[in-house]
């Protein structure tokens, strides 16, 4: 059974600011399993182009406003240099075989590490279910993956010996980090398939993330750990509450989101009851 | 008699005028915010002014900053600052009238330059006195960093306005999981803005492994403020 191996096609199909809907596109499947990287670069280029347009628009209105305000000595100049700097920034996607195991019956299993962000949201949703995490809206999940600085994944590929490249690829682990590309990074959503846990795969994911972040001079690497995994991260070099630094979460907006959900539910119930009145 | 006079004048009326300015502030005497313009347009922020603001507030981009002998933090790298601004999802900057900005004595020049007081503040003619930014993955989570206001305009509600503006923008874009890393001094401020400990009781952890605490042959270290962070070595072909 061939798994549908999608890119986050939302990069290509819609603008970065709107919530995205992941669409199936079967003709991409075959090509993408062989050559994922050119597609990703295309997507990234498209996003940059939209950013350029919005920068130009800001400059236009600034110039109109500056014409009206008296004694305005500030010049409104489009800075082309900032766009050139953006070209060299994107982290280069890497992919390599982490471990190769040959079963007694001849099938080979490879575990492949990738930092290209090539994740199918449906696979990820299934993996989150396996680990026991609550479900989150798919559109938000795909937007989050698209806009994370690094998304590191582990896939397992099984094939019988002599048939390289035709095996089925299964998502078995993921970790992602958001960053401002300069100073701070936060690691979110680290998960490994329960049947592959205990082999040091989670360690590899995190170490690779840290290595990439530090190589880019991003020094503040933080994360919010569940009580069960504090020891795991301590062994990787993380310190809980270093020098009194704590993470605080906004509680008011959580209440607001609960209100929004209950409001939506109540309107739904009312609309259903209205609908049922028609049939009585 | 002087006591009766004090009651009539409301506290410190009996003191000569030069002493009244430095009277002890009580809760009822916290001044209202000065005329400010809050902008959410990242293009309104000039990187050099922002760098000066970091120095004025003695705020560091590193969580473990290097302090010199007077306790002053080293200036922030301007190129990294520009990069950080470009990739921040929300950027809030606060401008005020030049006479209230840093380096000016407040309350001076009441009779001169009245035009400067009448014209509304804009990013073009105002001085940068407050800043705050948030980094997000635009779908699920966001983190607030670098909220600062110059020392002379603190305790007037500006910082709270910055945080509320950031929260409003994030909520409008459907992001409810908003975190803020804060040190001991910043905790009361964020608590007053409606932040609290995680409802799921998660522990905040930061990467602090340095070469001195853990050694294994050849190591690469990266400087981050006063910490020298150890870069984990690449492990390929794991033995399972």
């Amino acid at each position: 059974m061939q798994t549908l191996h999608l890119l986050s096609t939302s990069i290509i199909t819609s603008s970065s600011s709107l919530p995205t809907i992941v669409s199936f596109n079967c003709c991409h499947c075959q090509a993408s399993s062989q050559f994922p990287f050119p597609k990703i670069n295309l997507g990234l280029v498209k996003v940059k182009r939209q950013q350029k347009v919005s920068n130009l628009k800001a400059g236009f209105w600034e110039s109109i406003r500056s014409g009206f305000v008296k004694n305005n000595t500030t010049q409104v100049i489009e800075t082309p240099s900032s766009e050139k700097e953006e070209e060299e920034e994107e982290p280069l996607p890497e992919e390599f075989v982490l471990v190769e195991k040959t079963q007694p019956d001849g099938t080979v299993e490879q575990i492949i590490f990738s930092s290209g962000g090539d994740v199918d949201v449906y696979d990820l949703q299934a993996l989150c279910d396996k680990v026991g995490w609550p479900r989150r809206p798919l559109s938000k999940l795909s937007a989050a993956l698209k806009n994370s600085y690094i998304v590191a994944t582990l896939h397992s590929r099984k094939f019988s010996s002599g048939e390289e490249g035709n095996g089925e690829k299964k998502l078995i682990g993921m970790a992602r980090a958001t960053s401002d590309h300069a100073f701070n990074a936060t690691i979110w959503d680290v998960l490994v398939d329960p049947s592959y846990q205990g082999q040091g795969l989670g360690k590899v994911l995190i170490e690779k993330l840290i290595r990439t972040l530090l190589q880019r001079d991003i020094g503040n690497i933080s994360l919010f750990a569940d009580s069960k995994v504090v020891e795991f991260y301590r062994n990787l070099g993380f310190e809980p509450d270093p020098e009194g630094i704590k993470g605080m979460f906004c509680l008011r907006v959580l209440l607001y989101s609960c209100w929004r959900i209950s409001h939506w539910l109540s309107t739904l119930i009312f609309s259903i009851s209205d609908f049922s009145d028609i049939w009585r | 008699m002087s006591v009766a006079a004090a009651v009539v004048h409301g506290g410190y009326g009996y003191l000569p005028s030069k002493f009244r300015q430095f009277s002890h502030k009580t809760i009822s005497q916290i001044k209202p915010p000065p005329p400010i313009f809050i902008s959410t347009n990242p293009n309104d922020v000039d990187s050099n002014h922002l760098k000066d603001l970091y120095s004025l507030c003695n705020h560091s981009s590193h969580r473990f900053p290097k302090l010199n002998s007077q306790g002053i933090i080293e200036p922030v790298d301007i190129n990294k600052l520009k990069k950080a601004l470009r990739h921040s999802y929300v950027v809030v900057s606060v401008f005020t009238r030049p006479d209230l900005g840093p380096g000016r004595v407040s309350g001076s020049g009441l009779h001169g330059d009245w035009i400067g007081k009448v014209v509304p503040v804009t990013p073009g003619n105002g001085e940068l006195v407050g800043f705050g930014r948030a980094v997000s993955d635009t779908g699920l989570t966001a983190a607030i960093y670098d909220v600062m206001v110059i020392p002379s305009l603190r305790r007037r509600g500006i910082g709270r306005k910055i945080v509320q503006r950031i929260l409003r923008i994030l909520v409008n874009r459907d992001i409810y999981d908003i975190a803020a890393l804060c040190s001991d001094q910043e905790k009361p401020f964020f608590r007053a803005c409606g932040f609290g400990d995680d409802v799921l009781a998660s522990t905040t952890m930061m990467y602090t492994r340095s070469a001195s605490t853990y050694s294994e042959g050849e190591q690469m270290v990266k400087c981050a403020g006063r910490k020298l962070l150890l870069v984990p070595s690449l492990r390929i072909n794991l033995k399972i």
Side-chain angles (χ1 to χ4, degrees), chain A residues 16 55 58 62 65 74 82 85-86 89 96-99 101 111 136 140-141 143-144 147-148 176 178-186 188-189 199-201 203-204 207-208 210-211 214-215 217 219-227 230 233-254 256-257 260, chain B residues 41 43-44 61-64 76-77 80-81 83-84 86-88 122-124 133 135-143 145 164 167 171 174-184 187 190-209 220 222-224 226-227 229-238 240:
Chain A
S16 49
N55 281 345
E62 269 314 298
R65 185 146 60 120
T74 54
S82 60
E85 280 170 52
E86 278 182 63
E89 267 173 32
F96 53 84
V97 177
L98 196 65
V99 65
K101 217 176 7 177
I111 295 182
R136 294 171 288 188
K140 284 196 167 192
L141 208 54
N147 293 298
S148 298
R176 68 183 180 94
T178 56
S179 169
D180 58 9
H181 299 219
F183 301 116
N184 306 288
T186 311
W188 305 95
D189 292 348
Q199 297 174 14
L201 292 173
K203 242 181 159 178
V204 168
E207 282 185 348
K208 193 73 186 89
I210 297 174
R211 191 183 163 83
L214 285 175
Q215 278 173 339
D217 267 333
N220 300 328
I221 304 172
S222 54
L223 52 85
F224 303 103
D226 216 26
S227 47
V230 170
Y233 288 112
R234 210 192 287 261
N235 291 334
L236 282 163
F238 285 86
E239 196 184 313
D241 300 338
E243 296 179 17
I245 293 175
K246 257 186 100 62
M248 299 181 89
F249 287 81
C250 191
L251 303 173
R252 263 179 224 163
V253 293
L254 289 178
Y256 180 65
S257 70
R260 283 263 289 250
Chain B
N41 185 352
N43 296 324
D44 283 338
S61 48
H62 297 119
R63 288 249 69 112
F64 309 107
V76 65
D77 184 344
K80 287 185 95 173
L81 195 57
K83 211 196 286 190
R86 258 207 311 275
H87 296 279
S88 295
T122 66
R133 65 187 177 96
V135 175
S136 168
D137 56 18
T138 75
L140 295 167
T141 61
Y145 297 112
Q164 280 171 350
L167 289 180
V171 168
D174 262 342
I175 297 168
Y176 301 106
D177 205 350
I178 302 164
L181 277 184
C182 48
S183 57
D184 271 326
K187 262 184 234 176
F190 280 105
R191 214 178 286 273
C193 290
F195 283 68
D197 293 327
D198 189 21
V199 288
L200 298 169
S202 60
T203 318
T204 310
M205 303 182 86
M206 286 197 67
Y207 187 71
T208 50
R209 179 170 283 170
M220 193 159 82
K222 274 283 164 172
C223 181
R226 80 180 109 93
K227 296 258 181 190
L229 298 174
L230 178 69
V231 180
S233 51
L234 194 63
R235 286 198 280 171
I236 48 173
N237 286 325
L238 276 184
I240 291 182

Side-chain angles (χ1 to χ4, degrees), chain B residues 47-59 94 102 128-132 148-151:
Chain B
S47 322
N48 290 304
H49 294 161
L50 186 58
K51 183 175 161 183
D52 295 335
L53 184 68
Y54 268 77
S55 310
L56 272 171
C57 302
N58 210 25
H59 184 97
V94 178
L128 184 68
V129 293
F131 179 76
M148 62 182 95
V149 176
I150 56 171

Side-chain angles (χ1 to χ4, degrees), chain A residues 13-26:
Chain A
T13 52
S14 58
S15 74
S16 49
S17 56
L18 296 169
T20 53
I21 302 165
V22 176
S23 55
F24 280 105
N25 197 339
C26 292

Side-chain angles (χ1 to χ4, degrees), chain B residues 72-84:
Chain B
I72 302 210
I73 285 165
E74 54 179 351
V76 65
D77 184 344
I78 191 127
N79 292 317
K80 287 185 95 173
L81 195 57
K82 285 187 191 166
K83 211 196 286 190

